[in-house]
């Protein structure tokens, strides 16, 4: 009589972590889309015009950080013990980058918007003050959340089992001995090779 093996409850942690990072990547990208600054410039034909500067224009590094976090999401299901630290460092670094970039442009909004005004009006001189919206400060908060998520990722990943054998073979090239516990990833690997895991 075969004794049923206990279900490994640690494995869903990867999916939860990937979901959290995916949401953060989306939020990080979204905060860069709205208008961060509003000012005025001068054109030869229209005179004084209003220029709205989005986060992607004033702080393109924020969107780049969102893409990097998204890449980290793809790596969550594949990495081993060392790779988890790499993912965590990437997420923390992206959070620091987002917060630092947002703080930098709010500290000197004129320098941030002048290139955009020059590109849209042909004149590199502002015709009025720069009005800052709430979005740069929201981006700072999102950057802090990214840092917290990176630290949480390290703690959460300690209980995970290793990646599938396809991505991390056993040392010496030998196949890892069966552990006797059900392994969904190994079953999927076997099916993809045409074997019947049952």
């Amino acid at each position: 009589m075969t004794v049923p093996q206990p279900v490994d409850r640690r494995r869903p942690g990867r999916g939860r972590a990937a979901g959290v990072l995916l949401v953060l990547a989306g939020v990080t990208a979204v905060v860069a889309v709205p208008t961060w600054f509003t000012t005025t410039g001068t054109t030869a034909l229209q005179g004084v015009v209003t220029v709205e500067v989005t986060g992607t224009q004033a702080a393109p590094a924020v969107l780049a950080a969102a893409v990097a976090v998204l890449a980290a999401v793809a790596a969550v299901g594949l990495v081993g013990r060392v790779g988890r630290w790499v993912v965590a460092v990437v997420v923390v670094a992206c959070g620091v980058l987002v917060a630092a970039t947002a703080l930098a442009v709010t500290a000197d909004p004129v320098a941030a918007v002048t290139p955009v005004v020059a590109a849209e009006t042909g004149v590199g001189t502002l015709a009025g003050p720069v009005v800052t919206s709430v979005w740069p400060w929201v981006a700072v908060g999102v950057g802090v959340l990214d840092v917290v998520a990176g630290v949480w990722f390290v703690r959460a990943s300690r209980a995970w089992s290793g990646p599938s054998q396809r991505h991390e073979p056993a040392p010496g090239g030998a196949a890892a001995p069966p552990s006797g516990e059900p392994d969904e990833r190994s079953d999927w690997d076997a099916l993809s090779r045409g074997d019947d895991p049952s």
Side-chain angles (χ1 to χ4, degrees):
M1 178 177 178
T2 303
V3 178
Q5 298 294 334
V7 178
D8 186 357
R9 301 184 181 277
R10 300 174 297 177
R11 194 168 292 276
R14 285 183 183 267
R16 181 169 59 252
V20 170
L21 296 183
L22 181 62
V23 170
L24 281 178
V27 172
T28 303
V30 166
V31 297
V33 174
T35 299
W36 282 23
F37 305 103
T38 303
T39 187
T40 53
T42 304
T43 63
L45 299 177
Q46 298 175 296
V48 177
V49 295
T50 300
V51 179
E52 295 182 344
V53 181
T54 65
T56 55
Q57 293 173 310
V62 174
L63 189 58
V67 174
V69 174
L70 188 61
V73 173
V76 168
L78 305 177
V79 296
R81 183 172 302 174
V82 176
R84 294 166 194 166
W85 282 99
V86 174
V87 170
V89 168
V90 168
V91 174
V92 170
C94 288
V96 172
L97 178 63
V98 170
T101 302
L103 287 173
V105 296
T106 53
D108 191 0
V110 173
V113 304
T114 297
V116 180
V117 173
E120 294 192 8
T121 65
V123 179
T125 304
L126 306 184
V130 179
V131 178
T132 303
S133 71
V134 70
W135 288 105
W137 302 109
V138 174
V140 173
V142 171
V144 173
L145 283 179
D146 288 342
V147 173
V148 172
V151 176
W152 169 82
F153 180 84
V154 171
R155 295 176 59 86
S157 64
R158 290 177 180 174
W160 296 352
S161 57
S164 67
Q165 295 176 2
R166 173 184 297 176
H167 304 291
E168 193 170 281
S179 62
E181 297 185 4
D183 187 345
E184 295 177 5
R185 291 182 182 276
S186 296
D187 290 349
W188 277 111
D189 290 346
L191 285 174
S192 65
R193 293 192 302 268
D195 299 334
D196 184 359
S198 63

